[in-house]
Amino acid sequence: MQQEPSPDGSRVDSYAKVLRIAVAIAISYFGVLQGGFAHSTATAVVAAVAIAATLTWGVLAWFGPNRWISVVMAVMMAAGASLTIQTSVIGWILFAIGTIGILGVQRVDLRLAVVITALTAIPIVIGSFNQPPVAESVALNTLAVLGIGVMGYSRRLSRIRREQERELAARTRELEQRNRELIEQTERARTETARAAALEERNRIARDLHDVLAHSLGGLVVQLDAADAVLTTGGDRDQAARRVRTSRQLAVDGLKEARAAVRELRTGEIGDPSESVDLAAAVETIVRGPVGLQLGIEFDLVGEHRPVPAPAAQAFVAVAREAVTNINKHSGINKHSGINNHGPDTDGGGGRAVATLIFEPKLIRLELINSLPTHHDQLVPELAGTGGGFGVAGMRQRFAEIGGTLTAGRQGSRWVVSADWPVPTETIARDKDGTVVDERG
């Protein structure tokens, strides 16, 4: 990521370019004053080359970094080193500018810059032998060359460090931008996840409402039809009163469960999934409830029953409720003949329904079996056409959510609903450690 130059930075850069040209002109003028052209022809030629290189060095500053500036600085170094013999000050200035520049430029390989510096410094060292005392001159000039070289190398390191700092700052800004984008994406994903979870929970509650209302209202229709049949035929008024009381209880229970579902939808309060529930009691409450008793559904318990996690219990209860509702709608059990709490009457062509809850060590199964009607007129038209098949689909979806399977379909003259839930390993381990509810069968 490249950062746009600031107005202040551009202004400083312009000042530096103007200063560089001014320095180049000043050095050239000083070289003339120092007598660069007052010596031999060779010295005059070297001075001319040095002045031309210096002015070129100043002008090239306006064109930005380029490869020619390194060549110009090498020429300045060589010319300056040669001029140190005749015009010491101007020669050293040119050599220093060229050396610091070429060693400080990252575009020039460091080894090449060192070689150029060493080669151009040869005239300075040779010239030292003509300046008594010789040993002192050689030592001082050598130290001066080394010092200038160190200054150039320090400039290179400084530029490298600034470049690294700029890259690090740019990388930091890029990472911060990506971090902000990731945070925004995470927030959007979290929002979408929460929204999906809320929709899924609403769908679950809608399924519960469907089950509760279909179960309760279906039972109400049966009870009220039976009461109407008793009163129309002049039958036992006490039996009709029992039907009405049963209807009222169905309405109260259905209203209570519907209110609980709506309250859960409004408040978002969901039961603890780790809570254990007495599955046998929960299923028996549905099967032997008012609708189940009216239909004469038998309930069998097989195996050593035990508590199960709340989500599994809710799924089994939903299957039991939907299955009882479907039996009420579609079975051939006589709904108008005075069924008692021990089973269906035999008059009027009834049928039979059985619910079996089976506990195995690694599997829990709920089966609900009912006989199918032999004559269409045994159905209750108001109930048989309701539901649209969403109840069975809801049962399958509910059991899939807890890792179970559900099948529902005709087997001969019977309709069979079978729900299987493989008991998780951790649940089996808890059952071995502890508590199983009271034995019953």
Side-chain angles (χ1 to χ4, degrees):
M1 182 183 296
Q2 185 174 1
Q3 185 181 12
E4 294 294 332
S6 64
D8 291 340
S10 299
R11 189 179 301 112
V12 171
D13 188 51
S14 299
Y15 291 158
K17 292 176 180 178
V18 172
L19 179 62
R20 187 162 163 176
I21 290 181
V23 169
I25 295 174
I27 292 174
S28 301
Y29 180 70
F30 188 66
V32 174
L33 291 181
Q34 286 289 310
F37 296 98
H39 300 280
S40 64
T41 303
T43 303
V45 171
V46 172
V49 171
I51 291 173
T54 304
L55 293 175
T56 304
W57 169 75
V59 172
L60 287 177
W62 289 94
F63 298 96
N66 58 78
R67 60 181 180 178
W68 293 109
I69 198 166
S70 300
V71 176
V72 170
M73 285 188 294
V75 172
M76 291 174 63
M77 292 170 62
S82 299
L83 289 176
T84 56
I85 300 173
Q86 299 295 332
T87 57
S88 178
V89 176
I90 193 64
W92 277 108
I93 291 175
L94 292 174
F95 179 79
I97 292 176
T99 302
I100 293 174
I102 204 166
L103 284 173
V105 175
Q106 294 174 247
R107 295 185 303 276
V108 180
D109 183 74
L110 180 60
R111 288 171 294 185
L112 177 60
V114 171
V115 171
I116 293 173
T117 302
L119 291 176
T120 55
I122 291 176
I124 297 176
V125 177
I126 293 175
S128 301
F129 288 96
N130 298 325
Q131 298 173 0
V134 175
E136 183 178 348
S137 297
V138 171
L140 289 176
N141 288 339
T142 303
L143 289 175
V145 170
L146 292 175
I148 294 172
V150 169
M151 291 174 62
Y153 182 66
S154 299
R155 186 167 182 258
R156 174 185 287 261
L157 294 180
S158 178
R159 285 190 169 186
I160 292 174
R161 184 175 63 254
R162 286 198 301 269
E163 183 65 26
Q164 290 175 343
E165 289 174 353
R166 283 194 295 269
E167 292 179 356
L168 179 60
R171 183 62 176 168
T172 300
R173 287 191 296 270
E174 183 180 355
L175 291 176
E176 288 176 351
Q177 178 63 27
R178 290 185 180 180
N179 188 45
R180 285 192 294 268
E181 293 175 357
L182 287 175
I183 291 174
E184 292 175 0
Q185 293 175 0
T186 302
E187 290 298 328
R188 286 195 296 268
R190 186 181 293 114
T191 301
E192 290 299 321
T193 301
R195 181 173 176 271
L199 290 176
E200 183 178 355
E201 186 61 19
R202 285 191 172 98
N203 288 336
R204 183 189 68 79
I205 295 173
R207 291 198 305 266
D208 289 345
L209 280 173
H210 168 274
D211 296 344
V212 169
L213 294 177
H215 182 75
S216 302
L217 296 178
L220 275 173
V221 171
V222 171
Q223 296 295 330
L224 293 175
D225 281 351
D228 179 68
V230 171
L231 294 175
T232 301
T233 58
D236 186 358
R237 301 181 72 85
D238 291 337
Q239 183 182 3
R242 285 198 302 272
R243 300 290 187 187
V244 172
R245 286 193 295 271
T246 301
S247 299
R248 181 184 184 280
Q249 186 60 43
L250 280 170
V252 170
D253 293 343
L255 183 61
K256 183 186 301 182
E257 293 187 39
R259 282 175 174 171
V262 172
R263 182 168 55 252
E264 184 177 335
L265 179 62
R266 293 178 61 184
T267 63
E269 296 178 357
I270 304 173
D272 184 3
S274 63
E275 179 184 356
S276 294
V277 177
D278 187 348
L279 178 60
V283 172
E284 186 177 10
T285 299
I286 300 297
V287 174
R288 291 183 175 172
V291 177
L293 290 176
Q294 171 68 21
L295 298 173
I297 300 176
E298 300 178 7
F299 179 63
D300 293 332
L301 190 61
V302 179
E304 187 180 76
H305 80 282
R306 56 191 180 275
V308 299
Q314 292 169 1
F316 276 107
V317 168
V319 169
R321 184 187 290 118
E322 181 63 25
V324 170
T325 301
N326 287 338
I327 292 172
N328 190 25
K329 290 193 293 184
H330 301 293
S331 74
I333 299 175
N334 192 316
K335 300 177 176 62
H336 304 289
S337 58
I339 299 174
N340 59 35
N341 292 351
H342 303 288
D345 276 353
T346 57
D347 58 323
R352 185 169 183 269
V354 178
T356 306
L357 183 60
I358 304 170
F359 286 89
E360 298 180 5
K362 297 183 179 180
L363 180 74
I364 298 177
R365 172 178 297 165
L366 175 62
E367 287 185 343
L368 292 105
I369 305 174
N370 65 277
S371 58
L372 295 172
T374 55
H375 300 289
H376 181 72
D377 58 3
Q378 289 180 293
L379 295 175
V380 179
E382 295 84 353
L383 295 177
T386 62
F390 294 111
V392 175
M395 288 191 293
R396 286 198 180 98
Q397 183 178 357
R398 177 70 64 87
F399 250 74
E401 290 173 356
I402 64 169
T405 57
L406 182 138
T407 58
R410 177 192 290 270
Q411 295 184 10
S413 61
R414 304 181 304 167
W415 184 267
V416 179
V417 175
S418 179
D420 292 347
W421 181 60
V423 181
T425 306
E426 59 271 16
T427 304
I428 296 174
R430 283 200 304 268
D431 292 341
K432 289 181 178 178
D433 293 335
T435 28
V436 178
V437 293
D438 61 309
E439 298 292 336
R440 57 180 176 174

